[in-house]
Amino acid sequence: MRLCRFAVLATLALAVALPLAGQGTPAAKKDTTAKRDTTAKARPDTGPLSLVREQFSYEGGSRDPFVSLLKSGDVRPLISDLKLVGIYYDARYTARSIAVLRDITTTKRYRVRVADVLGRLKV
């Protein structure tokens, strides 16, 4: 019941406020019948326009995070650099199964699961 009364009062308040909001003072209204002056002077020629492009230089970390990994040669490891060391299979919980890979160029070890990403490679 209270909600119904509130809705009725809100509707009445809007019904009264909307017509009043559209009214303005006569001085505030713009004259839309006046034409624009098309013979106004053009801006003086200041010469040819030159565009300045903003540049960013990244000087931190090991690589620029704004450079695409697909275009750079830094994408490691490559499939030819990986050696399979072992597969540890958990029959009870297959999501815990892992494969151990070793990068033969850097001797770095990777423990990967299904759907892990190494560089551009996906397990």
Side-chain angles (χ1 to χ4, degrees), residues 31-54:
D31 184 17
T32 57
T33 60
K35 294 182 180 178
R36 292 184 179 176
D37 187 11
T38 57
T39 60
K41 289 189 219 177
R43 291 188 351 201
D45 189 18
T46 58
L49 292 175
S50 64
L51 298 175
V52 179
R53 186 178 187 116
E54 183 178 347

mmCIF file with all atom_site columns, all heavy atoms in Angstrom, residues 31-54:
data_model
loop_
_atom_site.group_PDB
_atom_site.id
_atom_site.type_symbol
_atom_site.label_atom_id
_atom_site.label_alt_id
_atom_site.label_comp_id
_atom_site.label_asym_id
_atom_site.label_entity_id
_atom_site.label_seq_id
_atom_site.pdbx_PDB_ins_code
_atom_site.Cartn_x
_atom_site.Cartn_y
_atom_site.Cartn_z
_atom_site.occupancy
_atom_site.B_iso_or_equiv
_atom_site.pdbx_formal_charge
_atom_site.auth_seq_id
_atom_site.auth_comp_id
_atom_site.auth_asym_id
_atom_site.auth_atom_id
_atom_site.pdbx_PDB_model_num
ATOM 1   N N   . ASP A 1 31 ? 17.095 33.316 -30.893 1.00 0.00 ? 31 ASP A N   1
ATOM 2   C CA  . ASP A 1 31 ? 16.438 33.689 -32.134 1.00 0.00 ? 31 ASP A CA  1
ATOM 3   C C   . ASP A 1 31 ? 16.920 32.739 -33.222 1.00 0.00 ? 31 ASP A C   1
ATOM 4   O O   . ASP A 1 31 ? 18.060 32.826 -33.673 1.00 0.00 ? 31 ASP A O   1
ATOM 5   C CB  . ASP A 1 31 ? 16.773 35.139 -32.492 1.00 0.00 ? 31 ASP A CB  1
ATOM 6   C CG  . ASP A 1 31 ? 16.019 35.591 -33.730 1.00 0.00 ? 31 ASP A CG  1
ATOM 7   O OD1 . ASP A 1 31 ? 15.026 34.926 -34.096 1.00 0.00 ? 31 ASP A OD1 1
ATOM 8   O OD2 . ASP A 1 31 ? 16.426 36.596 -34.326 1.00 0.00 ? 31 ASP A OD2 1
ATOM 9   N N   . THR A 1 32 ? 16.055 31.808 -33.624 1.00 0.00 ? 32 THR A N   1
ATOM 10  C CA  . THR A 1 32 ? 16.446 30.815 -34.614 1.00 0.00 ? 32 THR A CA  1
ATOM 11  C C   . THR A 1 32 ? 16.194 31.304 -36.032 1.00 0.00 ? 32 THR A C   1
ATOM 12  O O   . THR A 1 32 ? 16.573 30.635 -36.981 1.00 0.00 ? 32 THR A O   1
ATOM 13  C CB  . THR A 1 32 ? 15.663 29.515 -34.383 1.00 0.00 ? 32 THR A CB  1
ATOM 14  O OG1 . THR A 1 32 ? 14.264 29.802 -34.440 1.00 0.00 ? 32 THR A OG1 1
ATOM 15  C CG2 . THR A 1 32 ? 16.015 28.899 -33.049 1.00 0.00 ? 32 THR A CG2 1
ATOM 16  N N   . THR A 1 33 ? 15.578 32.461 -36.182 1.00 0.00 ? 33 THR A N   1
ATOM 17  C CA  . THR A 1 33 ? 15.280 32.950 -37.527 1.00 0.00 ? 33 THR A CA  1
ATOM 18  C C   . THR A 1 33 ? 16.448 33.734 -38.115 1.00 0.00 ? 33 THR A C   1
ATOM 19  O O   . THR A 1 33 ? 16.470 33.977 -39.313 1.00 0.00 ? 33 THR A O   1
ATOM 20  C CB  . THR A 1 33 ? 14.025 33.843 -37.500 1.00 0.00 ? 33 THR A CB  1
ATOM 21  O OG1 . THR A 1 33 ? 14.267 34.955 -36.626 1.00 0.00 ? 33 THR A OG1 1
ATOM 22  C CG2 . THR A 1 33 ? 12.824 33.062 -37.026 1.00 0.00 ? 33 THR A CG2 1
ATOM 23  N N   . ALA A 1 34 ? 17.389 34.143 -37.312 1.00 0.00 ? 34 ALA A N   1
ATOM 24  C CA  . ALA A 1 34 ? 18.518 34.920 -37.826 1.00 0.00 ? 34 ALA A CA  1
ATOM 25  C C   . ALA A 1 34 ? 19.429 34.011 -38.634 1.00 0.00 ? 34 ALA A C   1
ATOM 26  O O   . ALA A 1 34 ? 19.719 32.897 -38.254 1.00 0.00 ? 34 ALA A O   1
ATOM 27  C CB  . ALA A 1 34 ? 19.285 35.552 -36.669 1.00 0.00 ? 34 ALA A CB  1
ATOM 28  N N   . LYS A 1 35 ? 19.887 34.536 -39.788 1.00 0.00 ? 35 LYS A N   1
ATOM 29  C CA  . LYS A 1 35 ? 20.782 33.767 -40.641 1.00 0.00 ? 35 LYS A CA  1
ATOM 30  C C   . LYS A 1 35 ? 22.221 34.041 -40.228 1.00 0.00 ? 35 LYS A C   1
ATOM 31  O O   . LYS A 1 35 ? 22.555 35.121 -39.750 1.00 0.00 ? 35 LYS A O   1
ATOM 32  C CB  . LYS A 1 35 ? 20.578 34.154 -42.096 1.00 0.00 ? 35 LYS A CB  1
ATOM 33  C CG  . LYS A 1 35 ? 19.228 33.768 -42.632 1.00 0.00 ? 35 LYS A CG  1
ATOM 34  C CD  . LYS A 1 35 ? 19.117 34.128 -44.072 1.00 0.00 ? 35 LYS A CD  1
ATOM 35  C CE  . LYS A 1 35 ? 17.753 33.749 -44.622 1.00 0.00 ? 35 LYS A CE  1
ATOM 36  N NZ  . LYS A 1 35 ? 17.601 34.134 -46.004 1.00 0.00 ? 35 LYS A NZ  1
ATOM 37  N N   . ARG A 1 36 ? 23.066 33.084 -40.480 1.00 0.00 ? 36 ARG A N   1
ATOM 38  C CA  . ARG A 1 36 ? 24.474 33.262 -40.196 1.00 0.00 ? 36 ARG A CA  1
ATOM 39  C C   . ARG A 1 36 ? 25.107 34.124 -41.274 1.00 0.00 ? 36 ARG A C   1
ATOM 40  O O   . ARG A 1 36 ? 24.731 34.071 -42.433 1.00 0.00 ? 36 ARG A O   1
ATOM 41  C CB  . ARG A 1 36 ? 25.192 31.918 -40.135 1.00 0.00 ? 36 ARG A CB  1
ATOM 42  C CG  . ARG A 1 36 ? 24.772 31.090 -38.965 1.00 0.00 ? 36 ARG A CG  1
ATOM 43  C CD  . ARG A 1 36 ? 25.573 29.839 -38.916 1.00 0.00 ? 36 ARG A CD  1
ATOM 44  N NE  . ARG A 1 36 ? 25.186 29.053 -37.757 1.00 0.00 ? 36 ARG A NE  1
ATOM 45  C CZ  . ARG A 1 36 ? 25.660 27.871 -37.477 1.00 0.00 ? 36 ARG A CZ  1
ATOM 46  N NH1 . ARG A 1 36 ? 26.521 27.306 -38.265 1.00 0.00 ? 36 ARG A NH1 1
ATOM 47  N NH2 . ARG A 1 36 ? 25.267 27.230 -36.409 1.00 0.00 ? 36 ARG A NH2 1
ATOM 48  N N   . ASP A 1 37 ? 26.113 34.852 -40.866 1.00 0.00 ? 37 ASP A N   1
ATOM 49  C CA  . ASP A 1 37 ? 26.820 35.711 -41.810 1.00 0.00 ? 37 ASP A CA  1
ATOM 50  C C   . ASP A 1 37 ? 27.812 34.858 -42.583 1.00 0.00 ? 37 ASP A C   1
ATOM 51  O O   . ASP A 1 37 ? 28.816 34.407 -42.044 1.00 0.00 ? 37 ASP A O   1
ATOM 52  C CB  . ASP A 1 37 ? 27.538 36.835 -41.052 1.00 0.00 ? 37 ASP A CB  1
ATOM 53  C CG  . ASP A 1 37 ? 28.148 37.841 -42.004 1.00 0.00 ? 37 ASP A CG  1
ATOM 54  O OD1 . ASP A 1 37 ? 27.834 37.780 -43.214 1.00 0.00 ? 37 ASP A OD1 1
ATOM 55  O OD2 . ASP A 1 37 ? 28.950 38.675 -41.541 1.00 0.00 ? 37 ASP A OD2 1
ATOM 56  N N   . THR A 1 38 ? 27.526 34.620 -43.860 1.00 0.00 ? 38 THR A N   1
ATOM 57  C CA  . THR A 1 38 ? 28.399 33.785 -44.677 1.00 0.00 ? 38 THR A CA  1
ATOM 58  C C   . THR A 1 38 ? 29.521 34.587 -45.301 1.00 0.00 ? 38 THR A C   1
ATOM 59  O O   . THR A 1 38 ? 30.408 34.021 -45.930 1.00 0.00 ? 38 THR A O   1
ATOM 60  C CB  . THR A 1 38 ? 27.592 33.094 -45.792 1.00 0.00 ? 38 THR A CB  1
ATOM 61  O OG1 . THR A 1 38 ? 26.934 34.090 -46.572 1.00 0.00 ? 38 THR A OG1 1
ATOM 62  C CG2 . THR A 1 38 ? 26.575 32.141 -45.203 1.00 0.00 ? 38 THR A CG2 1
ATOM 63  N N   . THR A 1 39 ? 29.506 35.904 -45.155 1.00 0.00 ? 39 THR A N   1
ATOM 64  C CA  . THR A 1 39 ? 30.559 36.735 -45.737 1.00 0.00 ? 39 THR A CA  1
ATOM 65  C C   . THR A 1 39 ? 31.635 37.077 -44.718 1.00 0.00 ? 39 THR A C   1
ATOM 66  O O   . THR A 1 39 ? 32.429 37.966 -44.929 1.00 0.00 ? 39 THR A O   1
ATOM 67  C CB  . THR A 1 39 ? 29.952 38.042 -46.286 1.00 0.00 ? 39 THR A CB  1
ATOM 68  O OG1 . THR A 1 39 ? 29.342 38.733 -45.197 1.00 0.00 ? 39 THR A OG1 1
ATOM 69  C CG2 . THR A 1 39 ? 28.931 37.747 -47.358 1.00 0.00 ? 39 THR A CG2 1
ATOM 70  N N   . ALA A 1 40 ? 31.650 36.352 -43.601 1.00 0.00 ? 40 ALA A N   1
ATOM 71  C CA  . ALA A 1 40 ? 32.655 36.621 -42.573 1.00 0.00 ? 40 ALA A CA  1
ATOM 72  C C   . ALA A 1 40 ? 34.034 36.307 -43.116 1.00 0.00 ? 40 ALA A C   1
ATOM 73  O O   . ALA A 1 40 ? 34.213 35.469 -43.991 1.00 0.00 ? 40 ALA A O   1
ATOM 74  C CB  . ALA A 1 40 ? 32.369 35.787 -41.332 1.00 0.00 ? 40 ALA A CB  1
ATOM 75  N N   . LYS A 1 41 ? 35.022 36.994 -42.588 1.00 0.00 ? 41 LYS A N   1
ATOM 76  C CA  . LYS A 1 41 ? 36.391 36.810 -43.056 1.00 0.00 ? 41 LYS A CA  1
ATOM 77  C C   . LYS A 1 41 ? 36.889 35.407 -42.713 1.00 0.00 ? 41 LYS A C   1
ATOM 78  O O   . LYS A 1 41 ? 36.628 34.892 -41.642 1.00 0.00 ? 41 LYS A O   1
ATOM 79  C CB  . LYS A 1 41 ? 37.317 37.816 -42.381 1.00 0.00 ? 41 LYS A CB  1
ATOM 80  C CG  . LYS A 1 41 ? 37.137 39.223 -42.844 1.00 0.00 ? 41 LYS A CG  1
ATOM 81  C CD  . LYS A 1 41 ? 38.255 40.029 -42.260 1.00 0.00 ? 41 LYS A CD  1
ATOM 82  C CE  . LYS A 1 41 ? 37.782 41.384 -41.834 1.00 0.00 ? 41 LYS A CE  1
ATOM 83  N NZ  . LYS A 1 41 ? 38.810 42.173 -41.207 1.00 0.00 ? 41 LYS A NZ  1
ATOM 84  N N   . ALA A 1 42 ? 37.614 34.840 -43.636 1.00 0.00 ? 42 ALA A N   1
ATOM 85  C CA  . ALA A 1 42 ? 38.235 33.542 -43.382 1.00 0.00 ? 42 ALA A CA  1
ATOM 86  C C   . ALA A 1 42 ? 39.472 33.758 -42.527 1.00 0.00 ? 42 ALA A C   1
ATOM 87  O O   . ALA A 1 42 ? 40.051 34.845 -42.504 1.00 0.00 ? 42 ALA A O   1
ATOM 88  C CB  . ALA A 1 42 ? 38.623 32.882 -44.702 1.00 0.00 ? 42 ALA A CB  1
ATOM 89  N N   . ARG A 1 43 ? 39.886 32.726 -41.840 1.00 0.00 ? 43 ARG A N   1
ATOM 90  C CA  . ARG A 1 43 ? 41.087 32.844 -41.016 1.00 0.00 ? 43 ARG A CA  1
ATOM 91  C C   . ARG A 1 43 ? 42.290 33.094 -41.914 1.00 0.00 ? 43 ARG A C   1
ATOM 92  O O   . ARG A 1 43 ? 42.389 32.528 -43.004 1.00 0.00 ? 43 ARG A O   1
ATOM 93  C CB  . ARG A 1 43 ? 41.297 31.560 -40.220 1.00 0.00 ? 43 ARG A CB  1
ATOM 94  C CG  . ARG A 1 43 ? 40.262 31.377 -39.162 1.00 0.00 ? 43 ARG A CG  1
ATOM 95  C CD  . ARG A 1 43 ? 40.520 30.227 -38.233 1.00 0.00 ? 43 ARG A CD  1
ATOM 96  N NE  . ARG A 1 43 ? 41.615 29.351 -38.618 1.00 0.00 ? 43 ARG A NE  1
ATOM 97  C CZ  . ARG A 1 43 ? 41.752 28.119 -38.204 1.00 0.00 ? 43 ARG A CZ  1
ATOM 98  N NH1 . ARG A 1 43 ? 40.859 27.618 -37.392 1.00 0.00 ? 43 ARG A NH1 1
ATOM 99  N NH2 . ARG A 1 43 ? 42.766 27.367 -38.567 1.00 0.00 ? 43 ARG A NH2 1
ATOM 100 N N   . PRO A 1 44 ? 43.208 33.899 -41.464 1.00 0.00 ? 44 PRO A N   1
ATOM 101 C CA  . PRO A 1 44 ? 44.385 34.147 -42.299 1.00 0.00 ? 44 PRO A CA  1
ATOM 102 C C   . PRO A 1 44 ? 45.202 32.867 -42.448 1.00 0.00 ? 44 PRO A C   1
ATOM 103 O O   . PRO A 1 44 ? 45.269 32.041 -41.546 1.00 0.00 ? 44 PRO A O   1
ATOM 104 C CB  . PRO A 1 44 ? 45.151 35.214 -41.522 1.00 0.00 ? 44 PRO A CB  1
ATOM 105 C CG  . PRO A 1 44 ? 44.665 35.112 -40.122 1.00 0.00 ? 44 PRO A CG  1
ATOM 106 C CD  . PRO A 1 44 ? 43.254 34.643 -40.212 1.00 0.00 ? 44 PRO A CD  1
ATOM 107 N N   . ASP A 1 45 ? 45.801 32.704 -43.604 1.00 0.00 ? 45 ASP A N   1
ATOM 108 C CA  . ASP A 1 45 ? 46.594 31.518 -43.889 1.00 0.00 ? 45 ASP A CA  1
ATOM 109 C C   . ASP A 1 45 ? 47.878 31.571 -43.072 1.00 0.00 ? 45 ASP A C   1
ATOM 110 O O   . ASP A 1 45 ? 48.655 32.516 -43.168 1.00 0.00 ? 45 ASP A O   1
ATOM 111 C CB  . ASP A 1 45 ? 46.912 31.446 -45.381 1.00 0.00 ? 45 ASP A CB  1
ATOM 112 C CG  . ASP A 1 45 ? 47.538 30.126 -45.749 1.00 0.00 ? 45 ASP A CG  1
ATOM 113 O OD1 . ASP A 1 45 ? 47.404 29.176 -44.960 1.00 0.00 ? 45 ASP A OD1 1
ATOM 114 O OD2 . ASP A 1 45 ? 48.153 30.046 -46.827 1.00 0.00 ? 45 ASP A OD2 1
ATOM 115 N N   . THR A 1 46 ? 48.086 30.554 -42.252 1.00 0.00 ? 46 THR A N   1
ATOM 116 C CA  . THR A 1 46 ? 49.280 30.526 -41.409 1.00 0.00 ? 46 THR A CA  1
ATOM 117 C C   . THR A 1 46 ? 50.344 29.606 -41.979 1.00 0.00 ? 46 THR A C   1
ATOM 118 O O   . THR A 1 46 ? 51.315 29.309 -41.317 1.00 0.00 ? 46 THR A O   1
ATOM 119 C CB  . THR A 1 46 ? 48.912 30.048 -39.986 1.00 0.00 ? 46 THR A CB  1
ATOM 120 O OG1 . THR A 1 46 ? 48.313 28.766 -40.093 1.00 0.00 ? 46 THR A OG1 1
ATOM 121 C CG2 . THR A 1 46 ? 47.986 31.023 -39.316 1.00 0.00 ? 46 THR A CG2 1
ATOM 122 N N   . GLY A 1 47 ? 50.178 29.131 -43.178 1.00 0.00 ? 47 GLY A N   1
ATOM 123 C CA  . GLY A 1 47 ? 51.152 28.243 -43.788 1.00 0.00 ? 47 GLY A CA  1
ATOM 124 C C   . GLY A 1 47 ? 50.662 26.815 -43.761 1.00 0.00 ? 47 GLY A C   1
ATOM 125 O O   . GLY A 1 47 ? 49.551 26.526 -43.323 1.00 0.00 ? 47 GLY A O   1
ATOM 126 N N   . PRO A 1 48 ? 51.499 25.916 -44.232 1.00 0.00 ? 48 PRO A N   1
ATOM 127 C CA  . PRO A 1 48 ? 51.076 24.502 -44.268 1.00 0.00 ? 48 PRO A CA  1
ATOM 128 C C   . PRO A 1 48 ? 50.966 23.923 -42.863 1.00 0.00 ? 48 PRO A C   1
ATOM 129 O O   . PRO A 1 48 ? 51.708 24.292 -41.965 1.00 0.00 ? 48 PRO A O   1
ATOM 130 C CB  . PRO A 1 48 ? 52.195 23.822 -45.056 1.00 0.00 ? 48 PRO A CB  1
ATOM 131 C CG  . PRO A 1 48 ? 53.383 24.708 -44.872 1.00 0.00 ? 48 PRO A CG  1
ATOM 132 C CD  . PRO A 1 48 ? 52.852 26.107 -44.759 1.00 0.00 ? 48 PRO A CD  1
ATOM 133 N N   . LEU A 1 49 ? 50.006 23.043 -42.708 1.00 0.00 ? 49 LEU A N   1
ATOM 134 C CA  . LEU A 1 49 ? 49.807 22.380 -41.424 1.00 0.00 ? 49 LEU A CA  1
ATOM 135 C C   . LEU A 1 49 ? 50.831 21.268 -41.267 1.00 0.00 ? 49 LEU A C   1
ATOM 136 O O   . LEU A 1 49 ? 51.168 20.577 -42.219 1.00 0.00 ? 49 LEU A O   1
ATOM 137 C CB  . LEU A 1 49 ? 48.401 21.782 -41.339 1.00 0.00 ? 49 LEU A CB  1
ATOM 138 C CG  . LEU A 1 49 ? 47.250 22.769 -41.285 1.00 0.00 ? 49 LEU A CG  1
ATOM 139 C CD1 . LEU A 1 49 ? 45.934 22.018 -41.323 1.00 0.00 ? 49 LEU A CD1 1
ATOM 140 C CD2 . LEU A 1 49 ? 47.335 23.599 -40.034 1.00 0.00 ? 49 LEU A CD2 1
ATOM 141 N N   . SER A 1 50 ? 51.324 21.099 -40.082 1.00 0.00 ? 50 SER A N   1
ATOM 142 C CA  . SER A 1 50 ? 52.232 19.990 -39.814 1.00 0.00 ? 50 SER A CA  1
ATOM 143 C C   . SER A 1 50 ? 51.664 19.176 -38.663 1.00 0.00 ? 50 SER A C   1
ATOM 144 O O   . SER A 1 50 ? 51.187 19.725 -37.676 1.00 0.00 ? 50 SER A O   1
ATOM 145 C CB  . SER A 1 50 ? 53.628 20.495 -39.470 1.00 0.00 ? 50 SER A CB  1
ATOM 146 O OG  . SER A 1 50 ? 53.583 21.240 -38.265 1.00 0.00 ? 50 SER A OG  1
ATOM 147 N N   . LEU A 1 51 ? 51.703 17.884 -38.825 1.00 0.00 ? 51 LEU A N   1
ATOM 148 C CA  . LEU A 1 51 ? 51.195 16.983 -37.799 1.00 0.00 ? 51 LEU A CA  1
ATOM 149 C C   . LEU A 1 51 ? 52.364 16.453 -36.987 1.00 0.00 ? 51 LEU A C   1
ATOM 150 O O   . LEU A 1 51 ? 53.380 16.036 -37.529 1.00 0.00 ? 51 LEU A O   1
ATOM 151 C CB  . LEU A 1 51 ? 50.442 15.827 -38.428 1.00 0.00 ? 51 LEU A CB  1
ATOM 152 C CG  . LEU A 1 51 ? 49.206 16.221 -39.241 1.00 0.00 ? 51 LEU A CG  1
ATOM 153 C CD1 . LEU A 1 51 ? 48.613 15.004 -39.916 1.00 0.00 ? 51 LEU A CD1 1
ATOM 154 C CD2 . LEU A 1 51 ? 48.189 16.882 -38.353 1.00 0.00 ? 51 LEU A CD2 1
ATOM 155 N N   . VAL A 1 52 ? 52.204 16.466 -35.680 1.00 0.00 ? 52 VAL A N   1
ATOM 156 C CA  . VAL A 1 52 ? 53.233 15.948 -34.791 1.00 0.00 ? 52 VAL A CA  1
ATOM 157 C C   . VAL A 1 52 ? 52.702 14.675 -34.167 1.00 0.00 ? 52 VAL A C   1
ATOM 158 O O   . VAL A 1 52 ? 51.645 14.678 -33.543 1.00 0.00 ? 52 VAL A O   1
ATOM 159 C CB  . VAL A 1 52 ? 53.587 16.988 -33.696 1.00 0.00 ? 52 VAL A CB  1
ATOM 160 C CG1 . VAL A 1 52 ? 54.637 16.420 -32.762 1.00 0.00 ? 52 VAL A CG1 1
ATOM 161 C CG2 . VAL A 1 52 ? 54.047 18.279 -34.325 1.00 0.00 ? 52 VAL A CG2 1
ATOM 162 N N   . ARG A 1 53 ? 53.413 13.596 -34.351 1.00 0.00 ? 53 ARG A N   1
ATOM 163 C CA  . ARG A 1 53 ? 52.971 12.309 -33.821 1.00 0.00 ? 53 ARG A CA  1
ATOM 164 C C   . ARG A 1 53 ? 53.641 12.069 -32.471 1.00 0.00 ? 53 ARG A C   1
ATOM 165 O O   . ARG A 1 53 ? 54.838 12.230 -32.325 1.00 0.00 ? 53 ARG A O   1
ATOM 166 C CB  . ARG A 1 53 ? 53.338 11.196 -34.784 1.00 0.00 ? 53 ARG A CB  1
ATOM 167 C CG  . ARG A 1 53 ? 52.799 9.876  -34.369 1.00 0.00 ? 53 ARG A CG  1
ATOM 168 C CD  . ARG A 1 53 ? 53.151 8.814  -35.397 1.00 0.00 ? 53 ARG A CD  1
ATOM 169 N NE  . ARG A 1 53 ? 52.472 7.612  -35.049 1.00 0.00 ? 53 ARG A NE  1
ATOM 170 C CZ  . ARG A 1 53 ? 51.552 7.036  -35.787 1.00 0.00 ? 53 ARG A CZ  1
ATOM 171 N NH1 . ARG A 1 53 ? 51.216 7.547  -36.928 1.00 0.00 ? 53 ARG A NH1 1
ATOM 172 N NH2 . ARG A 1 53 ? 50.965 5.935  -35.392 1.00 0.00 ? 53 ARG A NH2 1
ATOM 173 N N   . GLU A 1 54 ? 52.839 11.668 -31.495 1.00 0.00 ? 54 GLU A N   1
ATOM 174 C CA  . GLU A 1 54 ? 53.363 11.380 -30.173 1.00 0.00 ? 54 GLU A CA  1
ATOM 175 C C   . GLU A 1 54 ? 54.069 10.030 -30.197 1.00 0.00 ? 54 GLU A C   1
ATOM 176 O O   . GLU A 1 54 ? 53.570 9.065  -30.761 1.00 0.00 ? 54 GLU A O   1
ATOM 177 C CB  . GLU A 1 54 ? 52.224 11.341 -29.167 1.00 0.00 ? 54 GLU A CB  1
ATOM 178 C CG  . GLU A 1 54 ? 52.662 11.122 -27.758 1.00 0.00 ? 54 GLU A CG  1
ATOM 179 C CD  . GLU A 1 54 ? 51.490 11.150 -26.790 1.00 0.00 ? 54 GLU A CD  1
ATOM 180 O OE1 . GLU A 1 54 ? 50.401 11.576 -27.163 1.00 0.00 ? 54 GLU A OE1 1
ATOM 181 O OE2 . GLU A 1 54 ? 51.698 10.728 -25.654 1.00 0.00 ? 54 GLU A OE2 1
#
